[in-house]
Amino acid sequence: MYQGLRQLSRRTIASSARRQVENTVKEKQKLFQEDNGMPIHLKGGSKDAVLYRATMALTVFGTGYVVYSLLSASMPKKP
Amino acid sequence: MAHQAHAYHMVDPSPWPLTGAVGALLLTSGLAVWFHFHSTILLSLGLILLLLTMYQWWRDIIREGTFQGHHTPPVQKGLRFGMILFITSEVFFFLGFFWAFYHSSLAPTPELGGCWPPTGITTLDPFEVPLLNTAVLLASGVTVTWAHHSIMEGEREQAIHSLTLTILLGFYFTFLQAMEYYEAPFTIADGVYGSTFFVATGFHGLHVIIGSTFLAVCLLRQVQYHFTSGHHFGFEAAAWYWHFVDVVWLFLYISIYWWGS
């Protein structure tokens, strides 16, 4: 979250130990408005793709596992 | 790139409704599997999937609104309606538990001793920690309103301070309530008194945690300059939710803690 130390401006009433957060909204606006055809959930870059793939992998595995789990739970067990 | 000739938001295709639905499926069947077969793997998988879905879905909404400018006035109007309708549905959710409480407490059965509180139940003193909890939440309602005015007036530092204070008060409530739960002389298994008490206050506590999380996300966004003095609907939604949580507590306090003691 904190982008790095910055020089404190004399006019802000910030404690001397406080680090200022940079305003990066303009850069983010430029990134997400770039005309590259990417959908919003992947437009942020490679981190998006990694998180998406991990989520989808869990979704697919989970779907399979729940079908297996419910099918086996509904079968009578041999004594 | 084709430009839209209208002010509405045609959303990009998104995988999150699917992952969220599968997550909910895993959560519910996982609960059943845990109850019957003592295995928590499905449940954990469902929880992780739901958390991942929520994080990415709401991240995308922030991108669409703050970074792409899709939240025009008509779109914001729709978001406002959506939040109001959601909170209304939550009101009905809690209404059910209040119905259960009043059903049991207005006409206590012979099994309970024909009285309320039932025979053998030592209730919590409403003028001790529960009263403190009431003060804490009321104070947090004041601080969240202070935060709203600070945002509208462009007072960045004050907004950050008052929002932080609101969240800390929320944490304090949760901490106090957790202590009360631990020290309570009755449990959820103590008849209908225990059931109505812990289910109603328990769901309320969960909503305090959800509301605190929502406010914390707003604090992070405020620090990162997402909110402007004229456009900060995410914060307003969080504040509405927080006031709702506060009002539910007031009803809980008066009905269950005070009248019911």
Side-chain angles (χ1 to χ4, degrees):
Chain A
M1 258 19 86
Y2 286 94
Q3 312 273 322
L5 256 52
R6 290 203 85 191
Q7 300 300 327
L8 281 172
S9 162
R10 295 232 173 254
R11 53 186 167 75
T12 59
I13 309 165
S15 75
S16 53
R18 177 94 56 83
R19 292 172 291 176
Q20 297 246 16
V21 175
E22 275 186 46
N23 185 345
T24 59
V25 172
K26 283 268 177 312
E27 286 99 332
K28 299 234 180 75
Q29 285 171 337
K30 188 156 171 275
L31 171 69
F32 289 106
Q33 289 178 40
E34 206 185 306
D35 193 358
N36 55 22
M38 294 292 270
I40 192 70
H41 64 283
L42 296 171
K43 215 168 166 91
S46 53
K47 267 176 31 196
D48 286 3
V50 167
L51 207 54
Y52 166 73
R53 275 187 225 130
T55 310
M56 211 31 110
L58 284 175
T59 305
V60 170
F61 172 75
T63 307
Y65 188 61
V66 78
V67 169
Y68 160 74
S69 192
L70 290 176
L71 275 173
S72 75
S74 50
M75 297 296 181
K77 295 246 181 339
K78 285 207 185 79
Chain B
M1 175 153 119
H3 288 110
Q4 63 186 53
H6 59 81
Y8 297 97
H9 183 194
M10 302 302 287
V11 192
D12 286 340
S14 170
W16 312 132
L18 176 68
T19 62
V22 170
L25 170 66
L26 260 48
L27 202 67
T28 46
S29 12
L31 211 59
V33 163
W34 178 46
F35 289 161
H36 291 276
F37 306 112
H38 298 284
S39 163
T40 54
I41 175 162
L42 262 183
L43 193 57
S44 315
L45 201 53
L47 218 54
I48 293 169
L49 208 46
L50 230 42
L51 287 168
L52 281 170
T53 301
M54 288 191 283
Y55 171 74
Q56 291 171 98
W57 193 327
W58 283 321
R59 174 205 69 189
D60 288 351
I61 293 175
I62 292 172
R63 288 177 176 181
E64 290 161 355
T66 308
F67 303 144
Q68 293 188 327
H70 279 294
H71 291 178
T72 59
V75 171
Q76 214 197 106
K77 201 161 167 213
L79 292 171
R80 284 173 189 276
F81 268 126
M83 192 65 196
I84 289 167
L85 288 170
F86 172 64
I87 292 177
T88 306
S89 77
E90 294 251 77
V91 168
F92 281 103
F93 179 72
F94 277 97
L95 259 166
F97 297 121
F98 277 100
W99 183 349
F101 169 74
Y102 278 111
H103 174 95
S104 303
S105 59
L106 283 169
T109 62
E111 287 88 350
L112 304 174
C115 55
W116 193 276
T119 315
I121 294 283
T122 330
T123 60
L124 300 171
D125 187 340
F127 299 110
E128 293 200 349
V129 174
L131 186 59
L132 173 59
N133 270 341
T134 306
V136 167
L137 281 187
L138 286 174
S140 71
V142 170
T143 54
V144 81
T145 307
W146 174 17
H148 190 196
H149 284 268
S150 304
I151 291 174
M152 289 192 288
E153 285 151 34
E155 294 278 357
R156 177 181 162 79
E157 288 299 314
Q158 275 202 46
I160 290 170
H161 290 157
S162 47
L163 196 41
T164 305
L165 202 46
T166 310
I167 296 164
L168 286 174
L169 286 167
F171 284 167
Y172 188 35
F173 176 94
T174 303
F175 169 75
L176 285 168
Q177 196 66 324
M179 297 294 313
E180 282 286 274
Y181 270 30
Y182 187 73
E183 300 286 336
F186 54 86
T187 72
I188 196 172
D190 285 322
V192 77
Y193 184 88
S195 303
T196 50
F197 180 90
F198 283 108
V199 170
T201 62
F203 271 118
H204 173 262
L206 177 64
H207 284 70
V208 170
I209 293 168
I210 292 168
S212 303
T213 308
F214 197 170
L215 288 166
V217 169
C218 287
L219 177 60
L220 280 170
R221 295 188 67 199
Q222 165 66 10
V223 166
Q224 291 176 64
Y225 299 90
H226 287 197
F227 297 137
T228 70
S229 54
H231 190 162
H232 44 264
F233 174 65
F235 171 81
E236 288 182 70
W240 290 349
Y241 195 78
W242 193 251
H243 287 306
F244 153 71
V245 159
D246 189 5
V247 169
V248 169
W249 171 258
L250 293 174
F251 278 99
L252 280 173
Y253 180 72
I254 290 175
S255 309
I256 296 183
Y257 285 91
W258 197 350
W259 178 82
S261 69

